[in-house]
Amino acid sequence: MIEILLLSGGVGGTAAALWYAAPAGRGLHRYVVPRARLRADIVRLEREADELTCALLRLSTENTAIGKDRDAAHDALAETRLRNHELGKQLTAFDQLCSENTQLRAALANARAVRPLPVDDAPTVPQGIPVLPLPQAPFALKPGEPE
């Protein structure tokens, strides 16, 4: 964009130099511009064109460097997105393992739980052994009493 702008300025300067150097046919042929002034204008315009050319080359070089930086950033972004996707998969698998672990711990806690057997479900009832709740059991010492 800037290159086109600077090039347009250079072309405009050249057009202006041609306009003032060749006035014949536009009604300006009666006005004679001194040759020294025309030469000075041409030298000035050529200097401006050279400066604009240098600026154009400098900006073009900077544009190339910025383009390389942009491409490197784009590649880094693509790699980061890929890693983010892989980490998302790992996080999903980790969450699944955590939920399975929680379920297994709950099942293990339920399997190891100590609770009084209900009298109705006692496995010794069919063989004639009476099963009583712990506080009603005939112990010499009841639980919680001092010895």
Side-chain angles (χ1 to χ4, degrees):
M1 180 71 176
I2 293 174
E3 300 145 349
I4 293 172
L5 236 154
L6 294 175
L7 189 59
S8 299
V11 169
T14 305
L18 290 175
W19 176 267
Y20 288 114
R26 289 182 292 279
L28 297 176
H29 62 283
R30 294 187 188 127
Y31 176 68
V32 178
V33 180
R35 290 183 184 260
R37 183 175 171 197
L38 292 176
R39 287 184 184 129
D41 286 344
I42 290 173
V43 169
R44 180 183 52 86
L45 292 173
E46 284 179 350
R47 189 178 329 117
E48 286 180 12
D50 289 341
E51 290 173 1
L52 290 174
T53 303
C54 290
L56 179 65
L57 289 174
R58 186 184 72 244
L59 292 174
S60 177
T61 304
E62 288 177 7
N63 188 22
T64 303
I66 290 172
K68 288 179 183 178
D69 291 344
R70 182 202 63 224
D71 292 342
H74 181 68
D75 293 343
L77 178 64
E79 185 177 336
T80 303
R81 285 182 178 164
L82 181 63
R83 286 184 181 179
N84 190 14
H85 182 67
E86 290 174 3
L87 288 175
K89 286 181 181 179
Q90 290 178 2
L91 184 60
T92 303
F94 179 74
D95 288 342
Q96 184 179 2
L97 286 175
C98 284
S99 66
E100 289 176 9
N101 189 17
T102 303
Q103 291 173 356
L104 289 174
R105 283 178 185 256
L108 182 63
N110 287 336
R112 289 183 177 172
V114 177
R115 45 189 178 272
L117 290 173
V119 177
D120 299 336
D121 295 337
T124 58
V125 171
Q127 292 140 357
I129 301 172
V131 177
L132 299 172
L134 193 57
Q136 299 171 358
F139 287 117
L141 292 174
K142 292 194 176 192
E145 291 182 0
E147 292 184 23

